[in-house]
Amino acid sequence: MRVLVTGGAGFIGANFVLRTLEIRPDASITVLDKFTYAANPSTLTPVADRVHVVRGDIADAAVVDPLVAAADVVVNFAAESHNDNSLADPSSFVQTNLVGTYTLLESVRRHGVRLHHVSTDEVYGDLDLDDPARFTEETAYNPSSPYSSTKAGSDLLVRAWVRSFGVVATISNCSNNYGPYQHVEKFIPRQITNVLTGIRPKLYGDGRNVRDWIHVDDHNDAVWTIIERGQPGETYLIGADGEVDNRTVVESILESLGRPRNAFDFVTDRPGHDRRYAIDSTRLRTELGWSPRFTDFASGLAATIDWYRSHSDWWAPVKDGVEASYAQTQNILDREGS
Ligand code: NAD
Ligand code: TDX
């Protein structure tokens, strides 16, 4: 199978490439990636001789078209993915998440190629902490941020191209991923690398917001399950029953690294901060037979902490810049709040 992986140099896409080489050695992989700040070229260096890497933009039809024409399936991981960045400047989110997805859709339509579109549970908005409900495939879209609204828009484009033009596509909406090769702007790697570099972890607001954590390999195995067994035109939710509040995550990281559990700071909250996400993945489990392998978040987190501890060469070059940018954002939020 010839697989075009867009966004294959980012966190989840690169893990998808590495795992595919392991479990489907016959697959022929091409990566199309713009190599924004979020990509780390060194992630794919060890497999450079087994993957064809193209530097380019999913919103550039001239680049996209020949690559799509030469593929059996396109798996779209390419996106602007960080909520905090989308609050500072939404423009690249509109461009990549909406115009980029549109460009891919027009190309798979022209060439009759199958698409799997990777999306997020954030399209459903948030839940109260005490709400017994979880998101299902039937939950109404209600996104909160520029990031999640552009992801929601991209999903709706895919659905419309399926219905109006007969494009063969599936969509998955997954919960929060953790694991190796995640950019240090994101919550878990930020706090691990903060502790490793002598900075106190930073918790937004009251720290009680809940995320539903899933290991990135479980997400990517689910994506393969949907590519192979999913019904064209359908949406599948991916989650591993991993609800944990942010404060508990930070306390676990501190404890694992031998620091007092209270050695963190509360900082000004993210504007519009979603309270809780929770996925009901019954459909994926019962209809397609997928189940997660990493069912113990504590041990998955411990392995992730070990990975960051032993791979400072991967993250250290960008750590100071990320923290400088967060400090600037916090100053602005503090000024606006006072
Ligand atoms: P990431 O930011 O780590 O990686 C995104 C990749 O896309 C980067 O390599 C970047 O260079 C590339 N890219 C950005 N704009 C591009 C463009 N215009 N053309 C080509 N490449 C471009 O993101 P991630 O965390 O790996 O997320 C991948 C996908 O999974 C996204 O669609 C995201 O919405 C979705 N998702 C992420 C999570 C999560 O917890 N991280 C959860 C659910 C869904
Ligand atoms: O320093 C921090 N302190 C903090 O308390 C950071 C960076 C985050 N947080 C909180 C905000 C969230 O409640 O931690 C939680 C997780 O934050 P992020 O890592 O920014 O993730 P989130 O906003 O939940 O979105 C993630 O999951 C869904 C991904 O970034 C998205 O791409 C994906 O769609």
Side-chain angles (χ1 to χ4, degrees):
M1 192 189 276
R2 298 165 303 168
V3 189
L4 176 60
V5 184
T6 58
F11 164 47
I12 305 174
N15 274 289
F16 180 84
V17 170
L18 297 174
R19 182 132 181 89
T20 300
L21 290 171
E22 220 178 274
I23 61 176
R24 283 171 177 72
D26 292 343
S28 143
I29 302 176
T30 298
V31 166
L32 170 61
D33 200 294
K34 192 176 174 185
F35 287 87
T36 68
Y37 82 91
N40 189 328
S42 74
T43 310
L44 294 180
T45 304
V47 296
D49 56 338
R50 298 178 65 197
V51 179
H52 177 216
V53 178
V54 178
R55 187 178 285 258
D57 190 331
I58 57 162
D60 181 346
V63 173
V64 164
D65 226 37
L67 297 175
V68 167
D72 298 310
V73 61
V74 177
V75 190
N76 180 30
F77 293 96
E80 286 292 337
S81 69
H82 193 35
N83 273 299
D84 291 326
N85 295 344
S86 82
L87 296 166
D89 180 5
S91 60
S92 60
F93 290 75
V94 172
Q95 178 61 23
T96 287
N97 300 356
L98 290 170
V99 181
T101 303
Y102 157 76
T103 309
L104 285 177
L105 281 165
E106 283 292 80
S107 190
V108 295
R109 176 187 169 201
R110 259 192 301 277
H111 298 289
V113 172
R114 161 83 192 277
L115 171 70
H116 180 73
H117 179 66
V118 176
S119 192
T120 170
D121 59 358
E122 298 195 20
V123 299
Y124 300 112
D126 62 352
L127 298 162
D128 288 336
L129 295 181
D130 59 358
D131 190 335
R134 299 193 292 172
F135 302 137
T136 71
E137 286 79 3
E138 278 69 49
T139 305
Y141 275 34
N142 186 28
S144 315
S145 73
Y147 163 67
S148 53
S149 61
T150 56
K151 290 298 292 185
S154 71
D155 295 5
L156 297 181
L157 291 175
V158 176
R159 289 184 184 188
W161 261 242
V162 167
R163 171 137 179 196
S164 301
F165 304 123
V167 159
V168 179
T170 39
I171 299 173
S172 54
N173 297 84
C174 187
S175 59
N176 282 62
N177 286 219
Y178 71 95
Y181 304 108
Q182 186 169 29
H183 196 281
V184 292
E185 69 185 355
K186 302 292 191 331
F187 178 56
I188 286 180
R190 182 181 185 207
Q191 311 315 337
I192 295 171
T193 56
N194 274 358
V195 177
L196 291 174
T197 54
I199 302 169
R200 286 165 71 89
K202 305 286 182 258
L203 269 177
Y204 294 168
D206 62 7
R208 293 181 63 221
N209 301 62
V210 168
R211 294 296 180 265
D212 189 352
W213 294 101
I214 182 172
H215 193 277
V216 64
D217 284 346
D218 281 333
H219 179 183
N220 283 327
D221 286 352
V223 168
W224 265 116
T225 300
I226 296 165
I227 292 170
E228 289 177 340
R229 299 204 283 275
Q231 288 296 317
E234 293 298 326
T235 290
Y236 298 90
L237 264 56
I238 307 173
D241 300 333
E243 283 187 67
V244 190
D245 69 57
N246 292 341
R247 181 175 179 155
T248 303
V249 173
V250 160
E251 289 173 347
S252 306
I253 292 170
L254 284 161
E255 191 166 37
S256 294
L257 290 169
R259 304 290 156 84
R261 285 170 69 86
N262 63 356
F264 62 81
D265 297 326
F266 287 111
V267 297
T268 306
D269 207 355
R270 168 189 286 175
H273 193 178
D274 281 340
R275 197 59 165 156
R276 169 176 161 247
Y277 305 136
I279 288 267
D280 178 346
S281 59
T282 304
R283 180 175 196 201
L284 179 65
R285 295 175 193 235
T286 54
E287 288 183 20
L288 304 190
W290 171 86
S291 58
R293 290 182 303 135
F294 294 83
T295 48
D296 178 22
F297 177 65
S299 60
L301 181 62
T304 304
I305 293 170
D306 281 347
W307 188 88
Y308 280 92
R309 206 184 347 219
S310 56
H311 289 80
S312 58
D313 54 328
W314 187 88
W315 54 264
V318 299
K319 177 68 182 169
D320 289 351
V322 168
E323 287 309 310
S325 161
Y326 270 124
Q328 213 174 6
T329 308
Q330 275 297 321
N331 279 337
I332 295 167
L333 289 175
D334 292 345
R335 265 205 311 275
E336 284 170 352
S338 60

